[in-house]
Amino acid sequence: MSTPLTLSAQHLTLFRGRRCVIEDVSLELRRGEVLGLLGHNGAGKSTTLQMLAGALLPTSGHVEVCDFDLSRQADLGKACLGFLPEHPPLYRDMTVDNFLVFAARLHRVSAAQLPDFLALAKQRCGLSEVGDKLIGTLSKGYQQRVGIAQAIIHQPAVVILDEPTVGLDPTQIRDIRNLIRELGNSSSVILSTHLLNEVESLCDRALILQNGKVIFNDTLAEMHRHNDIESSFIRLTTMQAEGVAP
Amino acid sequence: MIRLLARKEFRCLFAAPSTWWMLALLQFIFAWFFLARLDDYLLVQAQLAQSGNAPGATISIAAPLANVLSIVLMMLIPLFTMRLIAEERRNQTWILLSTAPISSLHIVLGKFLGLLALLSLIIVACGLMMCAIALGTHVDVGLIASNVLGVWLLAASYAALGLYFSALTRQPIVAAFGALAVSLGLWMLEMSNGMVRVLSPTVHFQALNSGLINSSDLVYFGLFIGAFLGLTLYHIRRERGGAR
């Protein structure tokens, strides 16, 4: 493929104490790709995403973002990343505008670019009306949108979204999915989700985790080959649980 | 980056109504104490004037005020420092900083300086109150300056101590109590005799309180602040997983 790699993770392993939480997870992402991260509760999705975003350093293995190693050139790498964690990191006593400006400045957006970037992020996430409201007074759905806006305001090459549509109403879910599709044109997106139809409608590729290990990493077409996506997912995860090679 | 974080921290402190309440209450307490000392001084002033080498107004009013300020700040600073890191962890906003392209050193210094800016405001307000003596009599500007410097260094030390405790836990209350307990313990050391006394920041404040600026005291405060900022940095780096 000719499109450049934006994110590459090699042999990520993480130990908590003596317990192996993530075992040998590798993945690659190219510009313009949307990758869906699937798995049961506790499979290690959020932990993997945190390692990809540089919040956790893996015990072994390394992550490269836009060719910058996250453990050695962390600042350069992290500047190309936007991350929405499971719980959106919001300062409840700041206004939406102030918070987004702070997030943008943290990610080294220059003062000249700031107004344009702010306006674009607010317009994309439907926040134009609530710029001067305190984040703490917003509804859950709006807070989630502020969280997403915070992750994309500096127009990063890689956007990592941990369950972006949780707690949203159907219209908002549709809007966010459109946004992810739009982001997928210019950047690479990784999203973790429990909703299989979300993966089906958004993602180019899927990666399934079970007990910290990758049990499937291929295009959606491959997943579709045998069956519909839901039964494929259940087949893959139960086979793994029973110890049969998929 | 340090300035960005410090400014944000300063603004957030000012956005909280509790900060305003505390500032108002502090000013009230200091004004009360100031006026009480002034009253006492005026009562005994006539007798003092008869004795030779009588203590002046500054040392009778401003120095005790600085002493009170130092004790009040010891109690108060843990309440400010607890939110710096522990509360960010509890509110899950810490991850925003840890995934941002900034080094741990910048985070630590930004938070420390942001709080120090607020504390400086309190101290300057109190310093101005001391200077109000100038309306009635001659003031010993040097003594006031050394007191303000002493309180400021003491406040910075408590802020660094509190920041470290804030980095250790995700419970703001635990951070506040931990920092308070250690500051109280260090204060108690002042009453002991022997070598351990030199560990207490308040002992080093005494000289400044009486107008004496020793370079050894300045070095002590520098080391104290540096040590706790260093420990905070070490802890945050280790938590991020080794490197950086």
Side-chain angles (χ1 to χ4, degrees), chain B residues 9-39:
Chain B
E9 218 46 67
F10 186 71
R11 275 202 194 148
C12 272
L13 280 167
F14 259 98
S18 58
T19 310
W20 289 95
W21 272 109
M22 270 196 243
L23 289 180
L25 202 66
L26 277 180
Q27 281 305 302
F28 180 73
I29 293 171
F30 294 143
W32 189 312
F33 189 82
F34 176 70
L35 291 173
R37 290 299 301 188
L38 190 64
D39 239 10

Short mmCIF file of all heavy atoms in Angstrom, two decimals, chain B residues 9-39:
data_model
loop_
_atom_site.label_atom_id
_atom_site.label_comp_id
_atom_site.label_asym_id
_atom_site.label_seq_id
_atom_site.Cartn_x
_atom_site.Cartn_y
_atom_site.Cartn_z
N GLU B 9 -4.04 26.66 36.23
CA GLU B 9 -4.20 26.29 37.63
C GLU B 9 -4.66 27.50 38.44
O GLU B 9 -5.57 27.41 39.27
CB GLU B 9 -2.82 25.82 38.15
CG GLU B 9 -2.86 24.67 39.10
CD GLU B 9 -3.77 23.56 38.64
OE1 GLU B 9 -3.48 22.89 37.63
OE2 GLU B 9 -4.79 23.37 39.31
N PHE B 10 -4.04 28.64 38.16
CA PHE B 10 -4.38 29.89 38.86
C PHE B 10 -5.83 30.26 38.60
O PHE B 10 -6.60 30.58 39.50
CB PHE B 10 -3.43 30.99 38.37
CG PHE B 10 -3.56 32.29 39.10
CD1 PHE B 10 -3.12 32.40 40.40
CD2 PHE B 10 -4.13 33.39 38.48
CE1 PHE B 10 -3.23 33.60 41.08
CE2 PHE B 10 -4.24 34.59 39.15
CZ PHE B 10 -3.79 34.70 40.45
N ARG B 11 -6.24 30.15 37.33
CA ARG B 11 -7.62 30.50 36.97
C ARG B 11 -8.61 29.56 37.62
O ARG B 11 -9.67 29.97 38.07
CB ARG B 11 -7.79 30.42 35.45
CG ARG B 11 -7.37 31.67 34.77
CD ARG B 11 -8.05 31.73 33.43
NE ARG B 11 -7.41 32.75 32.61
CZ ARG B 11 -7.30 32.67 31.31
NH1 ARG B 11 -7.76 31.62 30.67
NH2 ARG B 11 -6.73 33.63 30.64
N CYS B 12 -8.26 28.26 37.65
CA CYS B 12 -9.19 27.30 38.23
C CYS B 12 -9.35 27.54 39.72
O CYS B 12 -10.44 27.40 40.26
CB CYS B 12 -8.70 25.86 37.97
SG CYS B 12 -9.30 25.24 36.41
N LEU B 13 -8.25 27.91 40.38
CA LEU B 13 -8.34 28.22 41.80
C LEU B 13 -9.27 29.41 42.00
O LEU B 13 -10.07 29.43 42.93
CB LEU B 13 -6.95 28.55 42.36
CG LEU B 13 -6.07 27.34 42.68
CD1 LEU B 13 -4.64 27.77 42.94
CD2 LEU B 13 -6.60 26.60 43.88
N PHE B 14 -9.16 30.38 41.09
CA PHE B 14 -9.97 31.57 41.25
C PHE B 14 -11.41 31.36 40.83
O PHE B 14 -12.29 32.12 41.22
CB PHE B 14 -9.36 32.73 40.48
CG PHE B 14 -8.61 33.65 41.36
CD1 PHE B 14 -7.24 33.56 41.48
CD2 PHE B 14 -9.29 34.58 42.13
CE1 PHE B 14 -6.56 34.38 42.34
CE2 PHE B 14 -8.61 35.41 42.99
CZ PHE B 14 -7.25 35.31 43.10
N ALA B 15 -11.66 30.32 40.02
CA ALA B 15 -13.03 30.06 39.60
C ALA B 15 -13.83 29.43 40.73
O ALA B 15 -15.05 29.50 40.73
CB ALA B 15 -13.04 29.13 38.38
N ALA B 16 -13.15 28.84 41.70
CA ALA B 16 -13.87 28.16 42.78
C ALA B 16 -14.29 29.18 43.84
O ALA B 16 -13.47 29.97 44.30
CB ALA B 16 -12.97 27.11 43.41
N PRO B 17 -15.57 29.18 44.20
CA PRO B 17 -16.04 30.14 45.20
C PRO B 17 -15.31 29.96 46.53
O PRO B 17 -15.09 30.93 47.26
CB PRO B 17 -17.52 29.83 45.36
CG PRO B 17 -17.86 28.83 44.34
CD PRO B 17 -16.63 28.30 43.71
N SER B 18 -14.92 28.72 46.82
CA SER B 18 -14.27 28.47 48.12
C SER B 18 -12.98 29.27 48.25
O SER B 18 -12.63 29.73 49.34
CB SER B 18 -13.99 26.98 48.28
OG SER B 18 -13.19 26.53 47.22
N THR B 19 -12.27 29.47 47.13
CA THR B 19 -11.04 30.27 47.18
C THR B 19 -11.34 31.68 47.65
O THR B 19 -10.64 32.24 48.49
CB THR B 19 -10.39 30.31 45.79
OG1 THR B 19 -10.31 28.99 45.29
CG2 THR B 19 -9.01 30.92 45.86
N TRP B 20 -12.40 32.26 47.08
CA TRP B 20 -12.76 33.64 47.45
C TRP B 20 -13.13 33.71 48.92
O TRP B 20 -12.76 34.65 49.62
CB TRP B 20 -13.92 34.13 46.58
CG TRP B 20 -13.49 34.37 45.18
CD1 TRP B 20 -13.59 33.50 44.13
CD2 TRP B 20 -12.85 35.53 44.67
NE1 TRP B 20 -13.07 34.05 43.01
CE2 TRP B 20 -12.60 35.31 43.31
CE3 TRP B 20 -12.46 36.75 45.23
CZ2 TRP B 20 -11.98 36.24 42.50
CZ3 TRP B 20 -11.85 37.69 44.43
CH2 TRP B 20 -11.62 37.42 43.07
N TRP B 21 -13.90 32.72 49.38
CA TRP B 21 -14.27 32.69 50.80
C TRP B 21 -13.02 32.65 51.66
O TRP B 21 -12.91 33.39 52.64
CB TRP B 21 -15.10 31.44 51.10
CG TRP B 21 -16.55 31.66 50.87
CD1 TRP B 21 -17.30 31.14 49.87
CD2 TRP B 21 -17.42 32.49 51.64
NE1 TRP B 21 -18.58 31.59 49.96
CE2 TRP B 21 -18.69 32.42 51.05
CE3 TRP B 21 -17.24 33.29 52.78
CZ2 TRP B 21 -19.79 33.10 51.55
CZ3 TRP B 21 -18.34 33.98 53.28
CH2 TRP B 21 -19.58 33.88 52.67
N MET B 22 -12.09 31.79 51.29
CA MET B 22 -10.88 31.64 52.10
C MET B 22 -10.08 32.93 52.12
O MET B 22 -9.61 33.35 53.16
CB MET B 22 -10.02 30.51 51.54
CG MET B 22 -10.36 29.17 52.17
SD MET B 22 -9.04 28.03 51.84
CE MET B 22 -9.89 26.83 50.88
N LEU B 23 -9.96 33.56 50.93
CA LEU B 23 -9.20 34.82 50.86
C LEU B 23 -9.84 35.88 51.75
O LEU B 23 -9.16 36.58 52.50
CB LEU B 23 -9.13 35.31 49.42
CG LEU B 23 -8.24 34.50 48.48
CD1 LEU B 23 -8.25 35.10 47.09
CD2 LEU B 23 -6.82 34.46 49.01
N ALA B 24 -11.18 35.97 51.66
CA ALA B 24 -11.88 36.98 52.45
C ALA B 24 -11.70 36.71 53.94
O ALA B 24 -11.39 37.62 54.72
CB ALA B 24 -13.36 36.97 52.09
N LEU B 25 -11.85 35.44 54.32
CA LEU B 25 -11.73 35.08 55.73
C LEU B 25 -10.33 35.36 56.25
O LEU B 25 -10.15 35.89 57.35
CB LEU B 25 -12.06 33.60 55.87
CG LEU B 25 -12.50 33.13 57.25
CD1 LEU B 25 -13.83 33.76 57.61
CD2 LEU B 25 -12.60 31.62 57.31
N LEU B 26 -9.34 35.04 55.42
CA LEU B 26 -7.95 35.28 55.82
C LEU B 26 -7.71 36.76 56.07
O LEU B 26 -7.12 37.14 57.08
CB LEU B 26 -7.00 34.81 54.71
CG LEU B 26 -6.68 33.33 54.70
CD1 LEU B 26 -5.74 33.03 53.56
CD2 LEU B 26 -6.05 32.94 56.01
N GLN B 27 -8.17 37.59 55.12
CA GLN B 27 -7.97 39.03 55.28
C GLN B 27 -8.62 39.52 56.55
O GLN B 27 -8.07 40.35 57.28
CB GLN B 27 -8.55 39.78 54.07
CG GLN B 27 -7.66 39.74 52.85
CD GLN B 27 -6.26 40.26 53.14
OE1 GLN B 27 -6.08 41.39 53.57
NE2 GLN B 27 -5.27 39.43 52.95
N PHE B 28 -9.81 38.96 56.84
CA PHE B 28 -10.53 39.36 58.05
C PHE B 28 -9.71 38.99 59.29
O PHE B 28 -9.51 39.81 60.20
CB PHE B 28 -11.90 38.67 58.07
CG PHE B 28 -12.72 39.00 59.26
CD1 PHE B 28 -13.30 40.25 59.38
CD2 PHE B 28 -12.90 38.09 60.28
CE1 PHE B 28 -14.06 40.58 60.49
CE2 PHE B 28 -13.65 38.40 61.39
CZ PHE B 28 -14.24 39.66 61.50
N ILE B 29 -9.22 37.75 59.32
CA ILE B 29 -8.45 37.29 60.49
C ILE B 29 -7.20 38.15 60.68
O ILE B 29 -6.88 38.60 61.79
CB ILE B 29 -8.06 35.81 60.32
CG1 ILE B 29 -9.30 34.93 60.35
CG2 ILE B 29 -7.07 35.38 61.41
CD1 ILE B 29 -9.03 33.50 59.99
N PHE B 30 -6.49 38.39 59.56
CA PHE B 30 -5.25 39.15 59.67
C PHE B 30 -5.53 40.58 60.12
O PHE B 30 -4.80 41.14 60.94
CB PHE B 30 -4.49 39.17 58.34
CG PHE B 30 -4.00 37.81 57.96
CD1 PHE B 30 -4.00 37.40 56.65
CD2 PHE B 30 -3.55 36.93 58.94
CE1 PHE B 30 -3.57 36.13 56.32
CE2 PHE B 30 -3.11 35.68 58.60
CZ PHE B 30 -3.13 35.27 57.28
N ALA B 31 -6.59 41.17 59.57
CA ALA B 31 -6.93 42.54 59.95
C ALA B 31 -7.25 42.60 61.44
O ALA B 31 -6.80 43.51 62.15
CB ALA B 31 -8.11 43.03 59.12
N TRP B 32 -7.99 41.63 61.89
CA TRP B 32 -8.35 41.56 63.30
C TRP B 32 -7.10 41.48 64.17
O TRP B 32 -6.91 42.24 65.12
CB TRP B 32 -9.24 40.33 63.53
CG TRP B 32 -9.85 40.26 64.90
CD1 TRP B 32 -9.21 40.43 66.09
CD2 TRP B 32 -11.22 40.01 65.21
NE1 TRP B 32 -10.08 40.30 67.13
CE2 TRP B 32 -11.32 40.04 66.62
CE3 TRP B 32 -12.36 39.75 64.44
CZ2 TRP B 32 -12.55 39.82 67.27
CZ3 TRP B 32 -13.55 39.53 65.10
CH2 TRP B 32 -13.64 39.57 66.50
N PHE B 33 -6.25 40.55 63.79
CA PHE B 33 -5.03 40.36 64.58
C PHE B 33 -4.15 41.60 64.54
O PHE B 33 -3.59 42.02 65.56
CB PHE B 33 -4.26 39.16 64.00
CG PHE B 33 -3.11 38.73 64.85
CD1 PHE B 33 -3.31 37.92 65.96
CD2 PHE B 33 -1.82 39.15 64.56
CE1 PHE B 33 -2.25 37.53 66.76
CE2 PHE B 33 -0.75 38.77 65.37
CZ PHE B 33 -0.97 37.96 66.47
N PHE B 34 -4.05 42.19 63.36
CA PHE B 34 -3.25 43.39 63.16
C PHE B 34 -3.75 44.51 64.08
O PHE B 34 -2.97 45.15 64.80
CB PHE B 34 -3.37 43.81 61.69
CG PHE B 34 -2.67 45.09 61.34
CD1 PHE B 34 -1.29 45.15 61.33
CD2 PHE B 34 -3.40 46.21 60.99
CE1 PHE B 34 -0.64 46.32 60.99
CE2 PHE B 34 -2.76 47.40 60.66
CZ PHE B 34 -1.38 47.46 60.66
N LEU B 35 -5.07 44.69 64.09
CA LEU B 35 -5.64 45.77 64.91
C LEU B 35 -5.46 45.46 66.39
O LEU B 35 -5.18 46.37 67.19
CB LEU B 35 -7.12 45.95 64.57
CG LEU B 35 -7.34 46.52 63.15
CD1 LEU B 35 -8.82 46.52 62.80
CD2 LEU B 35 -6.76 47.92 63.04
N ALA B 36 -5.58 44.18 66.75
CA ALA B 36 -5.40 43.81 68.16
C ALA B 36 -3.98 44.10 68.62
O ALA B 36 -3.75 44.68 69.69
CB ALA B 36 -5.73 42.32 68.35
N ARG B 37 -3.00 43.74 67.75
CA ARG B 37 -1.61 44.02 68.11
C ARG B 37 -1.37 45.52 68.20
O ARG B 37 -0.66 46.00 69.09
CB ARG B 37 -0.65 43.44 67.05
CG ARG B 37 -0.54 41.94 67.01
CD ARG B 37 -0.04 41.33 68.28
NE ARG B 37 1.28 41.80 68.70
CZ ARG B 37 1.96 41.27 69.72
NH1 ARG B 37 1.46 40.27 70.40
NH2 ARG B 37 3.13 41.75 70.06
N LEU B 38 -1.97 46.24 67.26
CA LEU B 38 -1.81 47.69 67.23
C LEU B 38 -2.35 48.29 68.53
O LEU B 38 -1.72 49.16 69.15
CB LEU B 38 -2.56 48.25 66.03
CG LEU B 38 -2.33 49.73 65.71
CD1 LEU B 38 -0.87 49.95 65.33
CD2 LEU B 38 -3.23 50.18 64.57
N ASP B 39 -3.52 47.80 68.94
CA ASP B 39 -4.14 48.25 70.19
C ASP B 39 -3.22 48.02 71.38
O ASP B 39 -2.98 48.93 72.18
CB ASP B 39 -5.43 47.44 70.40
CG ASP B 39 -6.63 48.36 70.47
OD1 ASP B 39 -6.46 49.55 70.16
OD2 ASP B 39 -7.71 47.89 70.84
#
